[in-house]
Amino acid sequence: MKPRIVLFGASGTMGFEAFKELWRRRALYDIVVLLRPSRANKALMRPYIRTARVAAANHDAPASADLTVIWGDATRYADVERAIRGADAVLNAMAFISPQADYHPDTAAAVNTTAIGHIVHAIEAQPGGAERIHLIHTGSVAETGDRSPLERVLTGP
């Protein structure tokens, strides 16, 4: 069996680059991504889904191999837990950063802290998860650091 790699943030700048590298190595890994079901995300994944189905139709891989796209939301624990089931490793490149984070602080908190907590808890909930499932998380101060309130940004100190 190939290791099952779960990627969060596959539609973002860093996450999509990570996805493309995993995709190039799909013979080595089963790739799982959790993405919001937006029109843009569906268009982004369409060629990969199509190729993965072709591989399965040609019996090059089981139907679940190459790529599994879970349409959901990382701010909902049930979606995160579903993505992490059976994982061997989790890569998190998901972030909601400036400038949008400055205008939508509640969304930034949900994505940058609550969703990350869901990932950690879902890993721990798997049999032997804390010991067995590797987690790589990327982040920056733009996610959770000392951010000025929007009104100070707009009006000055």
Side-chain angles (χ1 to χ4, degrees):
M1 284 184 56
K2 299 186 296 185
R4 186 174 176 93
I5 310 297
V6 180
L7 174 62
F8 292 90
S11 62
T13 303
M14 287 192 304
F16 190 59
E17 291 302 316
F19 172 78
K20 289 188 295 188
E21 288 302 315
L22 287 170
W23 183 254
R24 283 189 332 105
R25 295 167 174 85
R26 68 188 178 276
L28 302 173
Y29 306 108
D30 287 337
I31 306 163
V32 178
V33 296
L34 172 65
L35 291 168
R36 289 175 297 106
S38 69
R39 180 177 293 151
N41 286 348
K42 288 181 177 184
L44 182 69
M45 286 292 121
R46 188 172 295 118
Y48 301 98
I49 292 168
R50 193 172 293 133
T51 301
R53 287 187 179 153
V54 169
N58 290 333
H59 307 291
D60 294 338
S64 64
D66 286 347
L67 176 62
T68 302
V69 178
I70 297 175
W71 300 111
D73 187 333
T75 65
R76 291 193 306 254
Y77 179 78
D79 293 345
V80 172
E81 192 277 330
R82 189 166 45 121
I84 289 178
R85 273 185 223 145
D88 295 295
V90 176
L91 306 175
N92 180 44
M94 172 181 55
F96 192 77
I97 60 172
S98 293
Q100 290 301 313
D102 296 325
Y103 296 101
H104 306 283
D106 292 341
T107 301
V111 171
N112 299 334
T113 57
T114 303
I116 306 312
H118 291 337
I119 291 170
V120 171
H121 293 297
I123 288 171
E124 291 173 339
Q126 296 299 302
E131 297 80 25
R132 182 182 56 77
I133 300 172
H134 303 279
L135 171 63
I136 298 172
H137 173 80
T138 61
S140 76
V141 70
E143 293 177 61
T144 58
D146 186 12
R147 308 296 299 159
S148 298
L150 178 59
E151 51 274 0
R152 285 200 339 218
V153 172
L154 297 175
T155 62

